[in-house]
Amino acid sequence: MLRERLSLSFAAILILTGLPAGHAKDLPNIMVIMADDVGYSDIGCYGSEISTPNLDQLAANGVRFTQFYNTARCCPSRAALMTGVYPHQAGVGHMLGNTPHPGYKNKLSTDTVTMAEVLKDAGYRTYMTGKWHLSHPATADAPKDGWPMQRGFEKFYGTIMGGGNYYYPLALCRGNKFISADNDPGYKPEFFYYTDAITDNSITFLDEHTKESSDKPFFMYIAYTAAHWPLHAPEDEIRKYDGKYDAGYDAVRHARFDKMKKLGIVENDLQWSPTEGDWKTVDHKDRETAKMETYAAMVTRMDKGIGEIVEALKSAGQLENTIIMFMQDNGACAEEVGPKTAKKYMTKTADSVKPGVSANPGGPNTFTAYGENWANVSNTPFRRYKHWVHEGGISTPLIFHWPKGMRPEMKNGLVRDPGHLIDVMATAIDAAETTYPEKYNGNRIAPLAGESLLPLVHGEDFNRQAPIYWEHEGNRAVRDGKWKLVAVRDGQWELYDMSSDRAEMNNLADAHPGKVQTLASKWQDWALKNDVLKAEGQAPGSTTEKIKKRRKAE
């Protein structure tokens, strides 16, 4: 297979040249892997029945963060990850759209610097594969100043826009050039599946790095689109889950919750959220289980690819000194999709596509999502989903693996301190022994908002210097120590004690009005200072409302 050949090639070059495993100054390689629209409990080491042996192995030899956060949506999360500042500071407070407000633009602001730019200046080679989604429009005649190659990456293979057909993705690029699954001269597999393509090209970049720059460390950002809709997966992968979900939503949630407690991911006495959906009333159960079977297959296929990338590093003697961080861009997605969405994304198969709730998932002529009830399973034990800033929308696993740089006693450990995507840049800067600039390309840069996670990986005390904040579509929150203040768009503030109520089931706002006022004031100050449209009803239109309108229209 192509992936096997590339892995062997990567290892053979080191053997033949006699190059040492370390790099200049023995700085670690840094690899950031992000999944798309995957729920908090969707991988095995966080409670799932889905087969993810490679991620589980990374967790067993690394650490798992139990209270790590994203921003509730793909574009803002990627902006926060890449820049180390809140998405509004980076100009991506919502999805990409050129509004008059500086916090809500159609690409990363030039007042930010990316992780690739910082690490490139520190002597790292920089590579990216997968989903960018930080620049629009993705058309041949549009400016490319916001594309990966113009924001610090030396090599790029992937898609500029968001989700799409896994068999024939839109806006596929190599470097700054649009290509397609058919006409890419550098990659011609017998069977094209985008998740595999991301894996294969990641291994290619590792292979090329060894040939070209073996004396330098690398930074690689791998952004899988799995398991974002549409539900597309190879048939052999789907068959592995035949019958796995026949017992329905509640049975799977209970099994996950029990496993999470045994793993120590959640407390044994946690009061968890109710199950959405009554399996007894579901029509066409075969179609409903097929959706979750396909979703699970997508996650497993991604895990398989991660295993191949890890094996390439291991074969080359690079695994021990490579930091690998795995995370997700938002909580599980409760969106439904219909024919208009399908035709927007399907290109080559648009004429024959059979999208929406009537389509069985899996193949290239289908286009559907798994819906709210399975998303509720994915987010076990939390409530709400992608878009919202309750725990179901913003909670992500973080697996941190760095054998050479971690204390042995931290192996297979759990970190319970809260963290956020803004911390990844600070962590990379710390590990690379470099600094965050005040200016870049003549522009004054927004101050770094995140904090290095390395003390937590080393088992040291960590006192976060500032609360963590959120705003998306008017949904807003602040986390300060054990307290979390959160509200839905145009709704009242709710207060939760996260040390005993991570599932946000017991609103303490009336019992602690002083705490509500204090945290609300902190949120308002943060919003004013960080280009957040703070007034209720002023944020860009709620996607939840758009979804309702689209359902009626379709």
Side-chain angles (χ1 to χ4, degrees):
M1 291 179 63
L2 176 64
R3 292 189 285 280
E4 293 172 350
R5 180 184 63 77
L6 292 172
S7 298
L8 290 172
S9 176
F10 188 36
I13 290 169
L14 285 181
I15 294 170
L16 292 173
T17 58
L19 293 170
H23 293 295
K25 295 178 64 177
D26 207 28
L27 293 174
N29 305 310
I30 299 171
M31 181 177 286
V32 174
I33 305 174
M34 176 169 272
D36 195 347
D37 279 13
V38 178
Y40 183 72
S41 69
D42 272 334
I43 60 176
C45 55
Y46 279 78
S48 184
E49 72 294 332
I50 298 174
S51 177
T52 56
N54 297 295
L55 286 170
D56 298 349
Q57 187 64 33
L58 289 175
N61 292 312
V63 298
R64 282 165 293 167
F65 285 66
T66 65
Q67 297 193 71
F68 200 71
Y69 290 115
N70 49 51
T71 73
R73 194 74 175 279
C74 47
C75 293
S77 283
R78 292 159 206 279
L81 172 68
M82 278 292 99
T83 64
V85 300
Y86 284 105
H88 312 79
Q89 294 174 280
V92 191
H94 191 244
M95 301 299 281
L96 298 168
N98 200 20
T99 76
H101 196 280
Y104 306 84
K105 293 292 186 179
N106 65 357
K107 64 181 178 181
L108 288 178
S109 167
T110 55
D111 295 333
T112 61
V113 61
T114 69
M115 205 182 323
E117 289 167 335
V118 172
L119 293 176
K120 184 178 180 181
D121 284 355
Y124 278 68
R125 299 297 307 275
T126 56
Y127 316 117
M128 181 188 167
T129 57
K131 174 178 173 176
W132 179 237
H133 213 189
L134 288 172
S135 179
H136 268 316
T139 57
D141 57 347
K144 296 185 172 75
D145 55 311
W147 284 30
M149 298 278 284
Q150 283 63 251
R151 293 309 308 251
F153 289 100
E154 298 172 80
K155 295 182 180 182
F156 169 63
Y157 172 88
T159 40
I160 295 298
M161 60 187 294
N165 190 335
Y166 284 77
Y167 303 104
Y168 202 85
L170 284 173
L172 185 65
C173 301
R174 185 173 296 282
N176 282 326
K177 184 179 179 181
F178 282 111
I179 57 172
S180 71
D182 295 333
N183 70 11
D184 181 5
Y187 181 66
K188 292 185 176 297
E190 292 182 10
F191 168 74
F192 185 96
Y193 181 64
Y194 189 36
T195 300
D196 293 348
I198 293 171
T199 296
D200 292 343
N201 281 275
S202 297
I203 296 173
T204 294
F205 288 169
L206 292 174
D207 179 44
E208 292 172 347
H209 175 84
T210 305
K211 295 177 183 176
E212 301 164 358
S213 306
S214 58
D215 59 332
K216 294 183 179 181
F218 66 79
F219 165 56
M220 180 173 284
Y221 173 38
I222 303 171
Y224 285 103
T225 54
H228 193 294
W229 48 258
L231 297 176
H232 285 168
E235 287 188 24
D236 61 332
E237 210 74 73
I238 298 172
R239 283 196 298 268
K240 297 174 184 177
Y241 290 95
D242 186 31
K244 190 75 172 180
Y245 297 100
D246 289 357
Y249 317 122
D250 201 50
V252 180
R253 283 191 90 229
H254 272 86
R256 288 193 181 193
F257 190 47
D258 289 344
K259 184 178 178 181
M260 295 173 87
K261 289 187 285 187
K262 290 177 183 177
L263 291 170
I265 300 296
V266 298
E267 302 299 325
N268 284 327
D269 58 352
L270 179 69
Q271 181 185 358
W272 63 321
S273 65
T275 297
E276 295 291 340
D278 183 353
W279 190 248
K280 295 177 182 177
T281 66
V282 173
D283 295 327
H284 307 294
K285 287 185 173 62
D286 56 340
R287 186 184 303 146
E288 189 70 3
T289 56
K291 291 179 180 180
M292 190 62 193
E293 289 167 4
T294 306
Y295 177 88
M298 295 169 75
V299 175
T300 292
R301 192 73 165 208
M302 175 184 66
D303 178 82
K304 180 182 178 182
I306 292 170
E308 291 168 351
I309 293 167
V310 169
E311 186 59 35
L313 290 169
K314 184 178 180 180
S315 298
Q318 294 296 307
L319 183 60
E320 291 293 306
N321 200 31
T322 298
I323 294 172
I324 300 175
M325 289 179 273
F326 170 85
M327 66 211 68
Q328 298 156 190
D329 65 345
N330 44 248
C333 177
E335 298 168 357
E336 301 282 0
V337 295
K340 291 182 180 179
T341 303
K343 289 191 175 182
K344 176 182 177 182
Y345 286 106
M346 291 299 281
T347 61
K348 195 174 184 181
T349 56
D351 292 338
S352 58
V353 71
K354 300 174 183 177
V357 295
S358 63
N360 287 322
N365 290 337
T366 67
F367 198 103
T368 191
Y370 71 167
E372 180 178 2
N373 297 341
W374 286 124
N376 178 241
V377 173
S378 290
N379 279 341
T380 304
F382 306 134
R383 62 189 180 97
R384 297 195 186 275
Y385 318 93
K386 170 184 176 180
H387 301 286
W388 287 274
V389 295
H390 285 74
E391 294 294 284
I394 59 175
S395 296
T396 170
L398 172 64
I399 298 172
F400 192 107
H401 184 272
W402 184 21
K404 187 172 182 178
M406 289 170 46
R407 291 183 179 177
E409 60 268 25
M410 290 298 293
K411 183 177 178 180
N412 198 30
L414 298 174
V415 173
R416 302 192 186 279
D417 297 70
H420 190 280
L421 289 176
I422 56 173
D423 299 329
V424 177
M425 166 79 91
T427 305
I429 287 172
D430 193 0
E433 300 177 18
T434 189
T435 57
Y436 181 83
E438 293 184 3
K439 290 186 177 181
Y440 190 81
N441 285 342
N443 298 310
R444 182 165 294 279
I445 300 303
L448 190 64
E451 302 179 36
S452 174
L453 302 172
L454 291 190
L456 291 170
V457 175
H458 295 152
E460 300 170 1
D461 291 335
F462 180 78
N463 294 310
R464 193 168 198 94
Q465 298 301 303
I468 302 172
Y469 298 95
W470 293 266
E471 185 278 330
H472 185 66
E473 296 184 339
N475 303 314
R476 56 207 187 279
V478 53
R479 173 78 189 265
D480 192 5
K482 73 173 186 176
W483 294 104
K484 181 182 175 186
L485 193 70
V486 60
V488 299
R489 181 184 176 91
D490 298 330
Q492 297 297 312
W493 285 115
E494 304 164 15
L495 180 69
Y496 299 100
D497 180 349
M498 304 304 281
S499 65
S500 59
D501 185 24
R502 182 85 191 279
E504 300 169 312
M505 298 304 296
N506 300 297
N507 183 4
L508 300 176
D510 289 342
H512 298 279
K515 179 60 69 175
V516 172
Q517 184 176 0
T518 298
L519 292 178
S521 179
K522 288 184 178 182
W523 189 91
Q524 295 283 1
D525 289 343
W526 168 80
L528 286 170
K529 294 175 182 177
N530 291 280
D531 291 324
V532 176
L533 289 174
K534 69 180 184 65
E536 293 181 9
Q538 280 192 316
S542 168
T543 296
T544 307
E545 294 303 317
K546 291 178 182 176
I547 290 169
K548 291 179 181 177
K549 291 178 181 178
R550 189 173 67 211
R551 286 177 186 167
K552 291 180 180 179
E554 295 183 350

